[in-house]
Every structure is written in structure tokens, then in C-alpha cells.
Amino acid sequence: MTDGYILETQALALAYGGFRAVDGVDLKVREGTIHSVIGPNGAGKTSLFHCLTGGRRPTEGSILFAGEDITRRPAHRRIGIGMARSFQVTSLFQNLSVRENLRLAAQGRDGDRALTFWRSVAEGKAHLALADEVMERLNLTARAGVAAGDLSHGQQRVLEVGMALCGRPKMLLLDEPTSGMGIDDIPVMTGLISELGRDHTVMLIEHNMGIVMSISHTITVMSRGQILVEGKPDEVCADARVRAAYLGEAA
Amino acid sequence: MTAFLKSKGIFGGMTLAVAAILVLLPLLLPSATLASEILIFAMAALACNLLLGYGGLLSFGQGLFFGAGSYLASLAMIHGGFGLIPALLAAAVAGAVLATCVGWLSIRRAGIYFVMLTLAFSQMGYFLAYTLSKWTGGDNGLLDVPRPDLSLFGIRIADLSSAGAYYTLVAVLFFAVFVGARRVIDSPFGSTLVAIRENETRAAAIGFDTRHFKMLAFTLSGAVTALAGALYAMLINYVPLDNIAMSMSENIVIMTIIGGTGSLLGSLLGAGALVTLGDILSAMWPRWQMLLGLALILIVMFLRGGLWGGVEHALDRFLKIREKGNAP
Ligand SMILES: Nc1ncnc2c1ncn2[C@@H]1O[C@H](COP(=O)(O)OP(=O)(O)OP(=O)(O)O)[C@@H](O)[C@H]1O
Ligand SMILES: [Mg+2]
């Protein structure tokens, strides 16, 4: 590992056709920190996440995770090295129970060992135990048997984070975990994320400035596919370019 | 009652119900041959259900696997001197290999293109069988398929020439396949397959290589379908070209949907309904398959869970009414 950085990108770019949604990003994420990515709508934050988590292959540049080049590694092979993500648009197994959602996420860590077809899932005690543990932590135990699609929106967002957690990752990449959440639910999510920050590296995309400013160690501001500013919360807050980018988009 | 049928243990609940059905079937139906035919198609529908109901994969390649099983087992017995068990095993292995290849290539595309690919392979198989008429008999079918005695390590166990004896063999194999299928569905593999059907992006994001799971679903489905094909050839002592035709794929898929996807008992029900109806109606009216179309339309429009879904719903309702009646 280089200088305590768990994730590094070099000149990372992702183009949709001719449009460069991510345009030459050099990013370094220090291990054990909460590193937020902010920026106006369409800045390329989610596209950057897609590259980091293998959802899309970057058109240029490279990604190092724990010193290893993972640029061309498909999404399903990033769980095993300790990366897990949540989605901006809730992406659960809607018709399966909360417990089954989490159990599957725990089983995902096994990769192809889950091809076992001659044994009952009940024998996978470790997966069930992890699912139950995460469920307890998310305060969803009372809803264990409920289909994920029947949870309230706030609970679905919490479960979304729990799915990533069940991969037992070193690094969590959370894409707007509070998106669409009511004002009452947000403190719960904020608490959860800062708690996760204690034993994981967390990379967080977030629009809610209150959360970002209160829990981040480092903030990267993106605009038009590029990094505009990076620094500690108070530095970023005071930066004139950041204000301009936000106001510019709003105007 | 429905809770009993939903109980988890692979030998409990639904499996007991199936065991009872297997015993009663030849007694209730006019002939043991008809009962064998039902179970053979139920096996094929079960295999289709694994792909369609659990994996969300609509394969029109099922007829290819069925036909390949029929031909391979028959040719192995006629030309290779294979006994019953080796011929059935060879068919299952060949079906598994063939389905793995078809699956491996087809799952590279999603949605409608995937379906078209399975269809294309199925058509290729048909024309291949048609062309190789020296081996397959082409349009005339492969005649004089034997039904050897059941023997193990050279020791003769049973003469299967009577319809009843053959039914017993088919019923035992069906039972084994059914129990196996329940285990598969309740396994890490089966649960992952359902997850992939529900949300493939998420399944990949939590660490599953979804292609491997779909491919294994094909492998297992192909093995069972080919086994059914082999049993069918021995049942009617003949392999019609229809066994590998588009219409076979169609029939298997229709049985699966009419019975109800996502329930193993549904496949038995679907095959039972179609084979029995076909048997009764084809004698009275050669165009009876028009009714099949109508039945499929009605079920898809009004009974989304298929026949089994309807039965379950009716049972639940009945029990609720009775509970109310019993309440003080
Ligand atoms: N699949 C796609 N095809 C083409 N263009 C896309 C695609 N996905 C995103 N874009 C475009 O790329 C740009 C960056 O989108 P992205 O979703 O990464 O932004 P974001 O920073 O996450 O925005 P938001 O805050 O609204 O979530 C936008 O202009 C968007 O319209
Ligand atoms: Mg986004």
C-alpha cells in the first residue's frame, strides 16, 4: 500500500459516446477516512463510481486498489478484494425478504462457491449470522420477513447500505445514501455512515451539505467530469470556485 | 394445507404430496402408459421451470435437449448395445454438455436476443436431425427403439416390457428428479439464481458472476430434459422427428407456464393437464390444439400464477372460510 492510500486513480476518464462524463480524474483516498465527493447534478460523480466499482469500464486511465491495478476487473470480482457499493437509485431484490437480501449479499462474498447446488442454504450458517448481525445494526430485525419492496423508502435506503456492508468490505462506496429520504430519517443515516467510518474507508457521494460537512475528512468537488477542488471541509466551504460552480449551475 | 405444502424440508410437505400422486396416478388414469407420459413431460417441464421460473430465462432450446436425449439413448442402445441405465446416463450427460454449450453462447445476450439464440440453436438441431436421416430416420423417425430390462452390473433386476413396470421406473426417476430439484432450489445456487432473476445488476454488485449461474442452470436443465427425452423414446419405442422440433420446445414451455412458473408442483400439474387433455381431445377433434392456445391466453391474462397458483389461492380461501366458520 502506498502512503496510506487505499484507492488511487490516474487520469481516469469515462465517455458515453462522445461525451466525457468523467474527464481525467486523479483521485487519492486515504485508508480509514470518510472521503466525500460532491458537485452539481451531472458533474459525473455516479459515473466515477461506476468506474471505481466496475459497473462500467473506464475509457482511459487506471485504478489502483490497495496497490493492485483493478481497472479492467469486472464488478463481481471487486467484492472479493474488499470493495462494496450502494446505488443512488435503490437496487434491491424487491420481492425477497430483508433477511434474504442480506443473506444473499453475504453469500456473494463466496463468489463461485455459491454454485453449490446440493446443499441447503440453511447450512450456510455464517451467511445467516452475518445477515442477522447487519440487520440488527440497521435496526431492521423487526422487519426481517418483510419483502424489501414493502419497506418504507427510508428503510430501503438503509438496507441498500446494508447490502454493501454484508460484503465485509474494506472500502464502502455509497452513492447518495440519503437520496429521497425524509428529514426525519436523515439523522439515522448520518449516524450509520459516521459509525461505518470507524472501521471502513468510506467514499460518499452526497448532496446534503450538512452531512458532508459534519462527517467527512476530505471532500472532493467535481464539476463537468473534473476535480474542481479538494480539501478539508472548512477549506472547501470557503473556496470561491466551489460556490461559483454551485451557483453557476443553479442560475 | 398450503403451509404444509410450503414446508421446507426436501422430504416433507410437497414431496409427500408428490409421492401420493405418483402412487395414485396409474390408478386414476385409463392407462399406465398415459401416466408415464405425464411424468416424462412433467420432468421436462420441471427442468424448464428451473430456467424460466427460477432463473427468469425463457429457453426455446428445451426441445433440442429433449430430442438429443431421445436420439442419443436410442442410438446407443441400437448400435452401441447400451443397457437401460447406461443409455439413460449417456443421454443425461450429453444433454448437460449440449445445454452448457447452448447456454454459454446464448447468455451472452439478454432479453429477446437471448430467446432468439436459443430458438436458433433449436432450429439447427432440428435440421441436423432431419439431414442425418441415415441415423435418425429423418422424417420417418427412428424406429424399433428397444426397452431393455433393468439391470445393474450385469444382474437383471426387472423386466420393463409391461406398461406398469415401466411406469414404476419412470415414477422412481421422477421422484428422484423432484427431490433433487427441491434441493437445488433451496441451495446457495438456487437462491442466487432467483436473485439474478430479480435484479442482475445488484447480483453482480454483491459478487456473483451471473453468467456462471445461468450456465449451471442450463447444464442441470439440459441433463434432466435429455433424460426425459430418453425415457420417452423407450416409452413409445420410437423417436419421431417431432421430438426435436420447435413444437416440442413450445409444448414444454407452455406446460411450464400453464402449470405455474416458480412452483415445482405446477410443472407436474401443467404436464398432467396438457398430456391428459391431448390424449382425450386428439381422439375427438384433430384441431384440439386450438383450445391449448385459448387456455394459454386465459391463464396468462387471468391466472398469473398458472394452474398451481390458482389451486393455492383456492385452498387459502377455503381454509380462511373454514377458520371463520370454526371461530366461536
Ligand atoms: N448511461 C449514460 N449514457 C449517456 N450519458 C449519461 C449516462 N449516464 C449519465 N450520463 C450523463 O453523464 C453526466 C454525468 O452523470 P452522473 O450520473 O455521473 O452525474 P452525477 O454527478 O452523479 O449527478 P447527480 O448528482 O444528478 O446524481 C450527465 O450529464 C448525464 O446525463
Ligand atoms: Mg449521481
Side-chain angles (χ1 to χ4, degrees):
Chain A
M1 207 158 304
T2 45
D3 320 322
Y5 291 117
I6 187 166
L7 183 81
E8 285 179 59
T9 72
Q10 276 147 14
L12 197 68
L14 174 66
Y16 299 114
F19 174 68
R20 291 167 75 87
V22 179
D23 190 6
V25 168
D26 294 294
L27 189 79
K28 286 183 177 182
V29 178
R30 204 176 280 279
E31 181 151 30
T33 60
I34 298 182
H35 188 131
S36 296
V37 180
I38 64 172
N41 290 116
K45 305 180 296 293
T46 298
S47 303
L48 172 67
F49 258 38
H50 285 330
C51 294
L52 298 180
T53 57
R56 281 182 181 272
R57 189 163 288 177
T59 28
E60 284 161 42
S62 62
I63 307 167
L64 292 183
F65 182 77
E68 188 184 352
D69 189 328
I70 58 160
T71 314
R72 301 179 71 78
R73 197 182 261 260
H76 59 84
R77 284 185 47 226
R78 300 199 185 198
I79 285 289
I81 56 170
M83 276 181 127
R85 73 171 303 182
S86 77
F87 290 86
Q88 178 173 1
V89 178
T90 308
S91 177
L92 300 166
F93 304 118
Q94 295 279 326
N95 295 314
L96 306 182
S97 72
V98 170
R99 192 173 192 235
E100 179 65 1
N101 267 271
L102 293 170
R103 192 196 63 77
L104 282 163
Q107 184 174 282
R109 180 83 204 220
D110 284 1
D112 276 354
R113 264 181 294 148
L115 285 167
T116 305
F117 60 83
W118 53 91
R119 248 186 231 133
S120 167
V121 287
E123 287 178 45
K125 295 253 168 24
H127 301 148
L128 285 165
L130 181 57
D132 287 344
E133 185 193 315
V134 169
M135 208 154 56
E136 193 66 45
R137 189 163 184 186
L138 303 177
N139 226 341
L140 286 175
T141 307
R143 317 226 61 193
V146 176
D150 291 340
L151 293 176
S152 72
H153 179 76
Q155 285 173 327
Q156 291 193 26
R157 295 307 296 167
V158 169
L159 181 56
E160 180 71 39
V161 174
M163 296 294 278
L165 208 50
C166 278
R168 284 182 285 124
K170 287 189 215 139
M171 180 173 187
L172 279 159
L173 295 103
L174 308 177
D175 193 349
E176 288 193 43
T178 63
S179 87
M181 271 178 114
I183 200 93
D184 303 332
D185 293 332
I186 288 182
V188 178
M189 184 62 90
T190 315
L192 178 64
I193 297 168
S194 64
E195 198 187 298
L196 293 176
R198 272 184 232 134
D199 29 43
H200 301 84
T201 308
V202 177
M203 201 169 162
L204 175 70
I205 297 179
E206 190 50 71
H207 277 298
N208 185 316
M209 284 303 156
I211 300 180
V212 172
M213 292 302 159
S214 65
I215 65 177
S216 315
H217 298 100
T218 311
I219 298 175
T220 298
V221 187
M222 278 185 78
S223 173
R224 298 167 200 272
Q226 298 182 325
I227 294 181
L228 191 65
V229 176
E230 189 173 289
K232 298 208 165 59
D234 47 341
E235 293 164 8
V236 167
C237 209
D239 196 291
R241 286 169 297 171
V242 176
R243 288 160 184 266
Y246 271 87
L247 293 174
E249 292 289 327
Chain B
M1 175 75 183
T2 45
F4 163 74
L5 287 174
K6 280 174 193 156
S7 94
K8 278 266 178 179
I10 55 169
F11 287 107
M14 213 196 271
T15 307
L16 290 178
V18 165
I21 292 172
L22 295 184
V23 173
L24 292 176
L25 207 57
L27 305 175
L28 298 176
L29 290 170
S31 78
T33 303
L34 182 61
S36 298
E37 195 179 339
I38 288 176
L39 292 190
I40 287 168
F41 281 102
M43 231 185 249
L46 213 66
C48 178
N49 205 349
L50 179 71
L51 283 175
L52 181 58
Y54 295 87
L57 297 163
L58 175 56
S59 155
F60 276 102
Q62 303 307 100
L64 174 62
F65 313 144
F66 191 91
S70 298
Y71 284 124
L72 196 107
S74 304
L75 293 172
M77 290 186 295
I78 295 170
H79 300 290
F82 276 48
L84 183 95
I85 293 177
L88 291 177
L89 275 177
V93 170
V97 172
L98 183 63
T100 310
C101 298
V102 169
W104 186 68
L105 290 166
S106 304
I107 57 174
R108 275 147 206 282
R109 293 286 167 273
I112 191 144
Y113 299 102
F114 160 79
V115 178
M116 293 319 286
L117 282 171
T118 64
L119 196 74
F121 282 112
S122 177
Q123 288 294 67
M124 268 169 58
Y126 173 79
F127 284 109
L128 193 68
Y130 184 79
T131 313
L132 295 177
S133 57
K134 189 166 158 269
W135 292 96
T136 63
D139 241 348
N140 300 323
L142 180 59
L143 306 176
D144 300 324
V145 175
R147 190 194 291 172
D149 294 336
L150 177 63
S151 57
L152 204 58
F153 306 117
I155 302 159
R156 191 169 153 282
I157 298 168
D159 168 17
L160 299 176
S161 55
S162 81
Y166 192 64
Y167 174 79
T168 310
L169 171 79
V170 172
V172 168
L173 289 176
F174 178 82
F175 189 72
V177 166
F178 187 86
V179 171
R182 283 199 77 186
R183 173 34 50 88
V184 167
I185 282 158
D186 182 47
S187 69
F189 164 70
S191 65
T192 306
L193 202 57
V194 170
I196 293 169
R197 178 196 70 197
E198 286 275 304
N199 184 344
E200 188 162 356
T201 310
R202 174 55 97 173
I206 57 179
F208 298 114
D209 187 341
T210 60
R211 280 187 189 176
H212 291 177
F213 289 82
K214 291 178 183 177
M215 240 165 76
L216 181 58
F218 262 96
T219 310
L220 296 173
S221 185
V224 171
T225 309
L227 176 68
L231 287 169
Y232 190 57
M234 293 181 204
L235 176 73
I236 60 175
N237 300 115
Y238 164 58
V239 185
L241 190 57
D242 276 354
N243 271 18
I244 200 166
M246 189 55 226
S247 57
M248 181 58 74
S249 294
E250 239 171 62
N251 279 336
I252 294 174
V253 168
I254 291 176
M255 282 175 197
T256 311
I257 294 177
I258 284 190
T261 47
S263 155
L264 295 179
L265 269 182
S267 299
L268 178 55
L269 204 59
L274 255 65
V275 173
T276 314
L277 271 182
D279 189 65
I280 299 170
L281 293 178
S282 62
M284 302 187 329
W285 185 34
R287 295 271 157 267
W288 72 277
Q289 291 208 329
M290 270 168 65
L291 286 182
L292 198 62
L294 189 66
L296 186 64
I297 291 168
L298 288 177
I299 285 186
V300 170
M301 304 245 307
F302 301 112
L303 212 59
R304 291 290 294 279
L307 287 177
W308 176 245
V311 169
E312 243 180 357
H313 187 70
L315 277 175
D316 274 340
R317 270 218 148 138
F318 172 75
L319 288 179
K320 257 189 212 128
I321 291 169
R322 229 182 40 179
E323 263 166 39
K324 266 190 204 143
N326 288 346

